[in-house]
Amino acid sequence: MSNALADTPEGAVVGIEIPHESATLHVTGAALYTDDLVGRTQGVLHAWPVQVMHVHARVTAMRVEPALAVPGVARVLTAADVPGINDAGVKHDEPLFPTEVCYMGHAVAWVLGETPEAARLGAEAVEVEVEELTSIVTVREAIDAGSYQGAARTVSRGDVEAGLAAAAHRFSGELEIGGQEHFYLETHAALALVDEGGQVFVQSSTQHPSETQEIVAHVLGMRSHEVTVQCLRMGGGFGGKEMQPHGLAAVAALGATLTGRPVRVRLTRPQDMTMTGKRHPFHASWEVGFDDAGRILALRAELTADGGWSLDLSEPVLARALCHVDNAYWVPNIELHGRVAKTNKTSQTAFRGFGGPQGMAVLEDLLGRLAPALGLQADELRRRNFYGPGQHAPYGQPIRHAERITEIWERVRATSDYDGRSAAVAAFNSAHAHVKRGLAITPVKFGISFNLTAFNQAGALVHVYKDGSVLINHGGTEMGQGLHTKMLQVAATALGVPLGFVRLAPTRTDKVPNTSATAASSGADLNGGAVQDACRQIIERLRGVAAATLGVHGHDVRFSGGMVTALGGGAALTWAEVIADAYTQRVSLSAAGYYRTEGLHWDAERMQGSPFKYYAYGAAVTEVEVDGFTGAYRTLRTDIVHDVGDSLSPLIDRGQVEGGYVQGAGWLTLEDLRWDGSDGAGRGRLATQAASTYKLPSFSEMPEDFRVEFFARAHESGVVYGSKAVGEPPLMLAFSVREAIRQACAAFGPAGHCVDLACPSTPEAVFWAIESARAEMRVALSTTTPAHVEA
């Protein structure tokens, strides 16, 4: 019996379509989230931030006495109360209680009240005096002022100057890429308690409990073993709860240690949107050269990420962006430079794709924009530049399974009837003057693993009880993505028991220590490997117990479906019988599992190495219809072929593909973060701080015909049960939406019209692109139509 990580046994529970393990709890409202625990806890104090409404200022005085006079206010937390380090980040640039206001709405103190209303009134009563400082709001302002933070990075290969000089066609341009609000249904929340021994217990809506534990400990001046953090589940995360929850948990923990009472922090939606980070907006400038066949010879680009007021995760986000500019395309000569801008906005953070989408947007945009200038269809231009077997990424990693790019591309072209529908779109556009359709196909190649090699490890704890029931605990967190469902399936498969035998406990730092964030699409890979390892340790012990009873060699014992049998048939034992025998024989029924991703190496200074375990591939075809009067669009149909390896849980993976695509479409076409860039009193204010002003995808933006297919023959060796990550890669399939909109806009202009489309491509931006196309059409008509001559 093979113990290879990727080998799937007969009777496996992985690969079976089952609902999310908490689906019933979700739809009935019975699922508990962090803030639901407040009602089950006595004597809770509620925290409210003292936000300063200046874009950049120095605090010169703060008086808390008026707040203490408000009925129901118990305490005001300030920097003077911090017994440890007054910092909420890992770069020591995020003071928990700052003396410098770095963005509008920055919290400088927190009020604890008997009720949320008392805390709110207390926060309003705190008197803060400030001295206004010069502010930088936009990325362009930061570039002009040289306002940067963190290290500059470069990825390069070949000779870009020589490549550009040899190019038959050279172009240059710029692209502004918008950010994105996470808008998880559950806003940030934490609940902290202190026991009789001074041990701090924090319930937190966090993707990274171990780091939350570390930050809470250093703020309180404690060691990590004095702080326990638990995450029941999150109502969405998308990266927004990877780094940002730490300071909020620390506020709750500080309040609890000072008052001896439980303290709750829960941000309102406007607070969450004005105080916490978002997807990084980017500015990109580029120069590219093509040969006469449309193949890219050279690309030089400069990417500037808007990091906001502190570094947070901006450096690794930038690194991943630089590593994904190439997407699915071979660029022999390439030079990519990256910087993180420092602006007076929220500290931008992780978001599904972690910089990868912004990097890919650069090359996808210029290919879509320039295809008409090269006399090629956009899909043909893309195909001509695909990676082939034996080629390497700009940072040196071999592109394993590069042939899958073309195979997936051809598969989705066939299943979507791309050629037939292209002709139908052209016919429709010829017959309609004010409504046009567009059809586009785009690929995805996304690297899986944390860029920082040390994060690619995980642990798990598995207990088998005397009655045969199983309890598993792992370091990953559940935010609706189905990780726990997959871990239940992995454990049941590794132990050879029915799914109903296995239960999963909430993620806690005192059960599995030193965990990595549930991020980088690596949750199932890492934690699945650890769960499988723990289960296999137990199975190896049980093998000897069962072998003695069955009278066979241990290697011939099989565990499947809750039965234990010998190879070739004969007598059979139940799982419960073997467990009972093992307990009687004093065989341990518990194991700590561990997994580390092999084969990774990365030089962050040189930006060279093999940072990814593998690549996830996919392609999407999208057809849209655009209204020429308003710029509004409808997504008529989407066809996706995506590589998920051997799916651990097909229903879960399908949901991730569909949800990722829709979230990507929101980022690229709808969600428009607006900060006030004027010089008035509102400078730096986030204008889109609620669902009323920030447009999110809804059912009306879903494709009317949505088809998803998993790529066949996609087994991935060296990964748990041959599966592949699915959290982030599908988001970038949504480039097909934006490119289809570009095609529709082009149909309003003359043949060969190059469409410069803003990002996000909101209806307003689409309208102006259509107007530009119409203006060019008028020019074309005026130069080709003979002038009327009077008789």
Side-chain angles (χ1 to χ4, degrees), residues 14-45:
V14 294
I16 297 174
E17 288 197 354
I18 63 170
H20 190 286
E21 47 89 24
S22 293
T24 302
L25 299 179
H26 289 158
V27 299
T28 59
L32 289 177
Y33 295 87
T34 297
D35 202 52
D36 292 324
L37 303 174
V38 173
R40 300 175 172 219
T41 308
Q42 291 187 339
V44 175
L45 290 173

Side-chain angles (χ1 to χ4, degrees), residues 8 28 96 234 255 304 311-312 322 355 413 500 540 607 764 776:
T8 304
T28 59
L96 186 60
M234 286 167 278
T304 305
L311 271 174
D312 194 273
L322 294 172
R413 277 182 67 101
E540 285 306 307
M607 293 289 284
E764 179 183 0
E776 192 162 324

Side-chain angles (χ1 to χ4, degrees), residues 224-279:
S224 289
H225 72 272
E226 298 174 276
V227 177
T228 298
V229 174
Q230 174 171 292
C231 177
L232 282 177
R233 59 169 60 84
M234 286 167 278
F238 310 117
K241 295 176 180 177
E242 182 175 347
M243 181 74 77
Q244 307 272 309
H246 309 334
L248 303 173
V251 167
L254 177 63
T257 56
L258 292 175
T259 64
R261 293 172 60 181
V263 172
R264 166 231 199 188
V265 172
R266 186 189 69 80
L267 300 185
T268 64
R269 181 64 65 185
Q271 287 171 346
D272 201 289
M273 294 186 73
T274 57
M275 293 173 64
T276 68
K278 301 148 197 347
R279 185 187 294 281

Side-chain angles (χ1 to χ4, degrees), residues 59-392:
V59 176
T60 57
M62 181 165 60
R63 288 176 289 278
V64 303
E65 292 78 14
L68 297 173
V70 174
V73 169
R75 182 154 189 157
V76 180
L77 303 179
T78 67
D81 295 312
V82 177
I85 300 171
N86 180 28
D87 196 274
V90 297
K91 297 286 187 179
H92 304 291
D93 64 344
E94 297 182 49
L96 186 60
F97 299 96
T99 55
E100 182 182 344
V101 176
C102 293
Y103 63 93
M104 184 167 285
H106 205 164
V108 297
W110 288 76
V111 175
L112 306 182
E114 298 291 342
T115 64
E117 180 65 6
R120 183 186 69 82
L121 293 173
E124 288 184 355
V126 173
E127 298 174 358
V128 182
E129 294 181 9
V130 300
E131 173 192 343
E132 293 274 7
L133 300 174
T134 302
S135 63
I136 294 173
V137 174
T138 69
V139 184
R140 287 185 180 275
E141 288 176 359
I143 294 172
D144 292 342
S147 177
Y148 298 107
Q149 54 187 328
R153 296 296 183 206
T154 297
V155 173
S156 64
R157 172 180 59 204
D159 187 335
V160 171
E161 282 301 329
L164 289 172
H169 308 277
R170 292 179 66 168
F171 306 91
S172 61
E174 290 185 307
L175 178 65
E176 293 271 0
I177 304 167
Q180 188 177 19
E181 169 61 39
H182 300 88
F183 220 99
Y184 22 66
L185 291 180
E186 175 207 27
T187 59
H188 278 279
L191 175 64
L193 306 89
V194 181
D195 68 15
E196 74 281 1
Q199 174 84 12
V200 177
F201 181 64
V202 182
Q203 300 272 9
S204 177
S205 183
T206 176
Q207 291 176 234
H208 200 173
S210 288
E211 196 165 79
T212 301
Q213 174 193 33
E214 292 167 14
I215 298 299
V216 168
H218 86 219
V219 168
L220 298 181
M222 292 180 168
R223 305 286 296 277
S224 289
H225 72 272
E226 298 174 276
V227 177
T228 298
V229 174
Q230 174 171 292
C231 177
L232 282 177
R233 59 169 60 84
M234 286 167 278
F238 310 117
K241 295 176 180 177
E242 182 175 347
M243 181 74 77
Q244 307 272 309
H246 309 334
L248 303 173
V251 167
L254 177 63
T257 56
L258 292 175
T259 64
R261 293 172 60 181
V263 172
R264 166 231 199 188
V265 172
R266 186 189 69 80
L267 300 185
T268 64
R269 181 64 65 185
Q271 287 171 346
D272 201 289
M273 294 186 73
T274 57
M275 293 173 64
T276 68
K278 301 148 197 347
R279 185 187 294 281
H280 289 69
F282 268 63
H283 173 273
S285 58
W286 49 264
E287 185 176 8
V288 67
F290 295 86
D291 66 14
D292 278 326
R295 288 186 292 265
I296 303 171
L297 294 182
L299 172 67
R300 176 186 288 123
E302 179 140 0
L303 277 66
T304 305
D306 184 348
W309 75 279
S310 69
L311 271 174
D312 194 273
L313 291 165
S314 296
E315 288 179 305
V317 164
L318 177 67
R320 184 167 280 265
L322 294 172
C323 288
H324 282 79
V325 168
D326 61 319
N327 192 13
Y329 309 107
W330 164 250
V331 185
N333 304 289
I334 189 167
E335 185 180 300
L336 307 171
H337 303 283
R339 293 297 305 265
V340 178
K342 186 169 186 175
T343 59
N344 294 115
K345 291 194 288 218
T346 53
S347 184
Q348 316 314 0
T349 189
F351 199 128
R352 198 176 195 169
F354 203 79
Q358 295 97 310
M360 288 185 193
V362 176
L363 195 45
E364 289 298 339
D365 180 77
L366 73 84
L367 289 174
R369 191 191 306 190
L370 298 178
L374 293 167
L376 292 170
Q377 295 296 317
D379 64 300
E380 178 59 19
L381 179 61
R382 288 184 165 91
R383 187 195 63 78
R384 292 186 185 188
N385 286 285
F386 282 163
Y387 273 112
Q391 293 179 328
H392 292 65

